[in-house]
Amino acid sequence: MNEIDISANKRYVEIFKKLVDIYVETGEAVGSRSLSKVLETPLSPATIRNVMADLEELGILCSEHTSSGRKPTEKGWRFYVNTIVESADISNAEVEELAKITKNAVGKSVESILEKATDVLSDLANCASLIRVPTVNSEVRHIDFVLLSPGRAIVVIVNENGIVENRLIDVAQDVTSSVLGKATKYINTQLSGSSLNDIRTKLQNELDLQKEGLDEITKDIVKQGIGFVINENDNKVIVKGQSNLLSKAGEILDLEDLLRKLDEKKTLKDLLDKSVNGKGVQIFIGAETKMFEMAGCSLIISPYQNAKKSLVGAIGVIGPSRMSYSRVITLVDYTAKLLGNIV
């Protein structure tokens, strides 16, 4: 018997689906007697035990010992996700909570919007949430360099959608507001209306050739300010809700290892970057991604677009394999589409 046979056998599918539903709700291995009480098709516990034994032989279910109930294996979760799981509606309360992401978004930085999105998503899913911050590459409306104190300045970038990016930069102790004003004037006169990536290319061509006759201090400030923002976003990953995983320690094989890997932003960035070009929601279970192969976890992730419908990042939820896939898939997909209207 193979997975195609299982999919075509209504009895096997019904028993497996009900078993998963009970296991997701209770976290306890499920026995044949419990299943016999909830199946739409009346079946004896003995018949159910035979089906469960077949599914265990196929690696879809497992049990701790002969007389115990069964629970899904990683192979079983994959079969469930590919064959049985359906999208679920989210409640009005969840829609209202997600709407907080867009509330007062105009004038906020991209990062603050994404921070809010990961916060809300992790709370609703009761898992950890992670998001790839996109490289800032929309057209630039205005850029300012503002002196905060000796040796410290802030770069303020306003894009075409009114979204603001702020980054602190270090400058020489003797840099004055006049020098920063010169850098501001240069940027906005020569390069306003270009994307930050275009600005970086133009800076390399024009400043290195000294076309504008800027002094070295001003050129360094311009290069540092734009380069800092681009490089910062190039490697930026936001992770929220790690504390939600603490209550699930019994279901995660190595919680300490998982939390450590969630702090490895470069590794997370590589994983998220691979998902940016994917189509729709993607689901990785256990060893399907080497990053979490020892943790007994699942990652549900979706790319998201910017206002120009370009794929710019990915957002997802990570938690134990025992999760309500239909609900979390819908939450991730809904959040990704929401971000496409505001980023």
Side-chain angles (χ1 to χ4, degrees):
M1 180 180 291
N2 54 37
E3 288 191 13
I4 296 177
D5 295 324
I6 297 172
S7 301
N9 190 311
K10 292 182 179 180
R11 174 179 295 181
Y12 280 68
V13 169
E14 182 184 4
I15 289 174
F16 181 70
K17 181 181 185 303
K18 285 295 184 182
L19 183 148
V20 171
D21 290 343
I22 295 172
Y23 179 65
V24 168
E25 182 178 352
T26 66
E28 301 290 337
V30 184
S32 57
R33 188 168 298 278
S34 297
L35 284 169
S36 68
K37 297 176 182 179
V38 296
L39 291 174
E40 295 179 5
T41 304
L43 295 173
S44 68
T47 299
I48 295 172
R49 281 196 296 273
N50 289 335
V51 172
M52 294 168 71
D54 287 343
L55 295 177
E56 186 171 4
E57 185 177 344
L58 289 167
I60 302 297
L61 297 178
C62 65
S63 60
E64 295 180 358
H65 51 81
T66 305
S67 60
S68 70
R70 268 78 165 187
K71 59 184 179 180
T73 61
E74 284 189 2
K75 183 178 179 181
W77 286 121
R78 172 50 60 192
F79 174 73
Y80 177 75
V81 167
N82 287 353
T83 309
I84 299 175
V85 74
E86 298 176 351
S87 60
D89 293 331
I90 55 178
S91 68
N92 291 335
E94 289 169 331
V95 171
E96 290 176 6
E97 194 67 21
L98 288 165
K100 293 179 181 179
I101 299 171
T102 59
K103 188 176 182 180
N104 300 321
V106 174
K108 298 289 183 65
S109 69
V110 170
E111 185 170 336
S112 66
I113 293 171
L114 299 183
E115 288 264 4
K116 183 65 177 179
T118 49
D119 265 333
V120 173
L121 185 56
S122 64
D123 286 346
L124 293 177
N126 194 29
C127 293
S129 179
L130 57 161
I131 192 167
R132 173 74 164 92
V133 178
T135 299
V136 181
N137 198 35
S138 56
E139 289 187 0
V140 175
R141 182 187 298 171
H142 192 79
I143 297 178
D144 276 325
F145 293 88
V146 181
L147 187 66
L148 296 179
S149 61
R152 296 287 280 172
I154 188 170
V155 185
V156 183
I157 301 177
V158 184
N159 74 9
E160 60 185 340
N161 300 318
I163 294 175
V164 179
E165 286 290 330
N166 299 312
R167 289 293 184 273
L168 290 171
I169 62 172
D170 294 320
V171 295
Q173 290 287 324
D174 58 351
V175 165
T176 64
S177 294
S178 176
V179 172
L180 294 178
K182 189 185 298 184
T184 296
K185 181 178 179 180
Y186 167 73
I187 286 289
N188 289 295
T189 299
Q190 301 295 329
L191 302 174
S192 182
S194 300
S195 71
L196 280 179
N197 284 339
D198 289 340
I199 288 175
R200 178 165 53 183
T201 301
K202 292 178 182 178
L203 285 175
Q204 291 172 343
N205 292 335
E206 296 188 15
L207 295 184
D208 290 345
L209 294 174
Q210 298 184 349
K211 285 186 176 182
E212 300 302 319
L214 297 176
D215 58 78
E216 291 300 319
I217 293 177
T218 305
K219 286 198 296 184
D220 287 343
I221 290 170
V222 171
K223 289 180 178 180
Q224 181 189 2
I226 302 303
F228 182 89
V229 173
I230 292 174
N231 292 333
E232 179 80 358
N233 280 347
D234 274 348
N235 295 291
K236 187 71 174 181
V237 174
I238 299 170
V239 182
K240 295 286 186 176
Q242 295 96 318
S243 61
N244 291 330
L245 300 177
L246 298 179
S247 63
K248 307 174 189 298
E251 301 176 52
I252 298 174
L253 301 180
D254 192 339
L255 179 59
E256 183 179 348
D257 180 63
L258 174 60
L259 294 176
R260 183 172 62 251
K261 287 178 176 178
L262 288 175
D263 283 334
E264 296 173 1
K265 299 300 172 65
K266 178 62 169 62
T267 304
L268 287 178
K269 172 188 172 295
D270 291 343
L271 177 63
L272 289 166
D273 283 350
K274 291 178 182 178
S275 301
V276 169
N277 295 323
K279 294 183 179 180
V281 177
Q282 303 162 73
I283 303 168
F284 301 94
I285 299 172
E288 292 175 357
T289 170
K290 291 183 178 180
M291 183 173 182
F292 304 117
E293 60 184 342
M294 297 302 293
C297 291
S298 291
L299 174 66
I300 299 176
I301 193 165
S302 175
Y304 66 91
Q305 301 176 332
N306 60 14
K308 291 186 173 181
K309 306 303 180 184
S310 298
L311 293 174
V312 293
I315 184 170
V317 163
I318 183 167
S321 297
R322 184 182 76 90
M323 69 166 71
S324 178
Y325 286 91
S326 57
R327 178 172 171 272
V328 177
I329 288 169
T330 304
L331 285 171
V332 170
D333 184 51
Y334 189 94
T335 306
K337 289 175 179 175
L338 199 63
L339 289 175
N341 296 323
I342 56 179
V343 174

